[in-house]
Amino acid sequence: MKTLIKINENPNINMVGKIYEFIDPTKIYIPILTNTSFHKNDYVYKNNYYSDYISSISGYVSGSKKIFLNKKFVNALEITNDFKENSHIKRRKKKITNREELIDNLKRFCLFDLINKLDENKNNLIISCVDEEEYSINEFMRLSNNYDEILMTIDFLSKILKTKNITLAIKNTNAKSIKNVKSIIGSFPNIKIVLLPDNYLIGLKTNLCEFLNLKEDDSILFTTNEIYDLYTTSIKFKDITEKYVTISGDALTKSFLINVKLGTSLKEIIKKYCKIKEKEYNVYVNGYMQGVNVNKEDVIITKEINTIVINKNREDATECINCGACYKICPVNINPKRCYFNKVINPKCIGCGLCNYICPANIDLKKVVKGDMYEEKEN
Ligand code: SF4
Ligand code: SF4
């Protein structure tokens, strides 16, 4: 492992501690990935799933649009909210006692990423409260606000998976989470808290296992928000219709966390909650370091989105001075400069953005190496 570095703080980012709530959007959008047919004014119930995406409200189909999802454009249905929250789905209430029941239950909520993590016969269960992107506070705030539910669910999960060692990993800078967890950790003697240095990429499974001195292939890693999703669906038996998203960046007068209905358009959130102090700015989905630069009109809050960064435009790139810094810092030993000038994607790239961060010539290397090219949608 290369030595991990701390990312320098941006003095122009002003993060406020308050959580905003936006749970009554006038419209939401649901990605439709299969050939399901819909007509204008069809009724959509809350908590119905369409190609693994939930309708977080009830209302009427009022149109469709192309949205940016997982690096490509897909069709999405536009639903106009009737504010009735009509749902006809009855969820099970019977306590889950084993892995098979847990998997069955998670399938009902289309949480396939979580199911894929439920490996048997692993000795170590690691819960990461690491917000990798410097100005994202989703994990930290989740643990600070829901520490009792999180600890209870970790205990539940470790019994289901029969894991021997349970570690809750928190950055040593997250004083509020640490204080809250320590106030009740005595009731969970099987859970060990480990404090991590505030270094970039410490939350990556390889790095975390190395820091904790645990074998990667004998470990299962969940984030605190994933544990909270398990709590909601498999202890409370409720659907997930909202999520935390950090909205930050140096083009904003303030950065904040917002609890928002799934399917809400970023444009509506920006209009209601953001004061942008710059005329020209860039929007990045899932962080400045690791995210993709997109057009705000195309972004809908789906389960895949945790952070939106609204930054001043990047300074223009200057000529490469052959300093070698991008190669020296790359954690997977790619030569980003070579890929950039030869215009080749390298599939080994993990998209960490360290090459861009370190480059004195301000060249957008990651965009080429990772293939994060954002194509404008076809009309
Ligand atoms: S973004 Fe890719 S090329 Fe750049 S430092 Fe990270 S892994 Fe290396
Ligand atoms: S860090 Fe930037 S300036 Fe230095 S070699 Fe890489 S591309 Fe060139």
Side-chain angles (χ1 to χ4, degrees):
M1 175 172 79
K2 287 199 177 175
T3 309
L4 301 180
I5 62 160
K6 181 169 166 32
I7 302 294
N8 288 335
E9 279 187 18
N10 182 336
N12 300 317
I13 292 186
N14 169 26
M15 187 65 82
V16 295
K18 185 177 162 191
I19 303 180
Y20 292 86
E21 285 272 331
F22 186 27
I23 50 172
D24 54 355
T26 50
K27 288 177 178 174
I28 63 144
Y29 298 84
I30 310 171
I32 300 293
L33 308 179
T34 54
N35 282 336
T36 323
S37 75
F38 281 94
H39 302 102
K40 210 161 181 188
N41 296 326
D42 278 356
Y43 196 70
V44 173
Y45 286 92
K46 185 182 172 186
N47 298 342
N48 264 9
Y49 286 85
Y50 303 92
S51 356
D52 301 355
Y53 290 89
I54 195 169
S55 176
S56 60
I57 58 168
S58 61
Y60 294 88
V61 174
S62 49
S64 66
K65 79 178 235 153
K66 292 255 185 208
I67 64 160
F68 185 69
L69 179 77
N70 297 334
K71 295 195 181 177
K72 54 179 195 265
F73 283 99
V74 300
N75 284 321
L77 272 190
E78 180 189 86
I79 314 294
T80 297
N81 201 346
D82 65 0
F83 299 100
K84 291 186 177 155
E85 306 263 309
N86 281 333
S87 174
H88 54 51
I89 293 185
K90 298 264 178 288
R91 296 289 177 206
R92 68 173 273 162
K93 297 281 179 210
K94 198 168 156 262
K95 197 175 165 203
I96 290 171
T97 56
N98 59 51
R99 182 174 168 271
E100 285 65 38
E101 286 175 5
L102 180 58
I103 289 174
D104 269 358
N105 190 58
L106 292 174
K107 279 182 188 161
R108 293 187 189 103
F109 297 96
C110 300
L111 290 174
F112 301 107
D113 288 353
L114 296 193
I115 293 171
N116 292 339
K117 291 188 175 196
L118 293 175
D119 267 359
E120 274 181 307
N121 308 320
K122 303 269 179 189
N123 278 314
N124 311 311
L125 173 63
I126 307 167
I127 313 304
S128 161
C129 176
V130 174
D131 287 289
E132 207 65 272
E133 290 280 336
E134 202 59 16
Y135 302 98
S136 176
I137 53 172
N138 298 27
E139 301 301 331
F140 154 61
M141 290 299 270
R142 180 59 77 197
L143 187 60
S144 301
N145 293 341
N146 300 101
Y147 54 97
D148 41 3
E149 292 95 338
I150 299 284
L151 290 178
M152 183 216 294
T153 311
I154 296 172
D155 193 48
F156 155 84
L157 184 61
S158 67
K159 283 179 182 138
I160 297 259
L161 295 177
K162 302 185 182 75
T163 38
K164 288 190 191 133
N165 309 312
I166 311 154
T167 308
L168 176 58
I170 313 175
K171 276 195 179 176
N172 59 16
T173 44
N174 293 351
K176 191 177 166 200
S177 305
I178 297 165
K179 186 170 161 246
N180 289 349
V181 168
K182 281 192 171 167
S183 69
I184 62 162
I185 196 76
S187 311
F188 302 94
N190 50 341
I191 304 175
K192 185 170 89 176
I193 304 178
V194 174
L195 301 188
L196 307 170
D198 185 18
N199 288 338
Y200 185 54
L201 299 183
I202 188 77
L204 218 62
K205 190 175 178 191
T206 315
N207 295 342
L208 205 45
C209 287
E210 192 170 328
F211 184 86
L212 299 170
N213 211 8
L214 297 173
K215 280 193 188 143
E216 194 176 342
D217 58 7
D218 196 18
S219 306
I220 306 172
L221 177 71
F222 284 88
T223 66
T224 38
N225 274 296
E226 286 172 338
I227 292 291
Y228 192 72
D229 288 348
L230 278 172
Y231 167 77
T232 309
T233 56
S234 305
I235 292 181
K236 299 304 281 179
F237 302 108
K238 287 189 173 159
D239 289 87
I240 301 166
T241 55
E242 296 159 19
K243 76 166 301 180
Y244 277 179
V245 179
T246 307
I247 313 269
S248 68
D250 59 13
L252 297 173
T253 53
K254 63 175 186 231
S255 299
F256 54 90
L257 186 74
I258 187 163
N259 188 43
V260 62
K261 280 267 183 190
L262 287 165
T264 306
S265 77
L266 177 61
K267 197 174 149 196
E268 200 174 345
I269 300 174
I270 290 179
K271 197 169 155 205
K272 208 158 176 212
Y273 293 91
C274 298
K275 279 207 182 95
I276 302 180
K277 52 188 182 186
E278 306 292 327
K279 264 199 183 137
E280 305 279 325
Y281 58 88
N282 277 313
V283 175
Y284 299 85
V285 166
N286 280 339
Y288 182 62
M289 293 290 283
Q290 301 189 33
V292 184
N293 183 202
V294 297
N295 181 340
K296 72 171 192 279
E297 307 280 331
D298 302 329
V299 181
I300 300 304
I301 304 302
T302 55
K303 55 191 173 185
E304 293 83 2
I305 294 181
N306 295 315
T307 310
I308 299 289
V309 174
I310 302 177
N311 266 359
K312 291 181 207 167
N313 279 355
R314 279 175 73 93
E315 281 167 31
D316 288 341
T318 54
E319 214 164 293
C320 170
I321 56 167
N322 283 317
C323 65
C326 55
Y327 171 64
K328 278 186 215 134
I329 205 162
C330 177
V332 292
N333 298 323
I334 293 171
N335 186 336
K337 183 195 94 172
R338 195 184 299 149
C339 294
Y340 179 84
F341 287 106
N342 291 331
K343 294 191 173 42
V344 289
I345 293 173
N346 190 319
K348 264 172 64 191
C349 172
I350 57 168
C352 66
L354 278 168
C355 49
N356 281 9
Y357 172 76
I358 211 77
C359 176
N362 211 26
I363 299 170
D364 196 349
L365 300 155
K366 188 192 93 177
K367 191 171 169 180
V368 175
V369 190
K370 180 82 176 106
D372 278 349
M373 257 64 102
Y374 173 68
E375 308 284 348
E376 291 294 331
K377 65 176 175 276
E378 295 161 23
N379 290 315

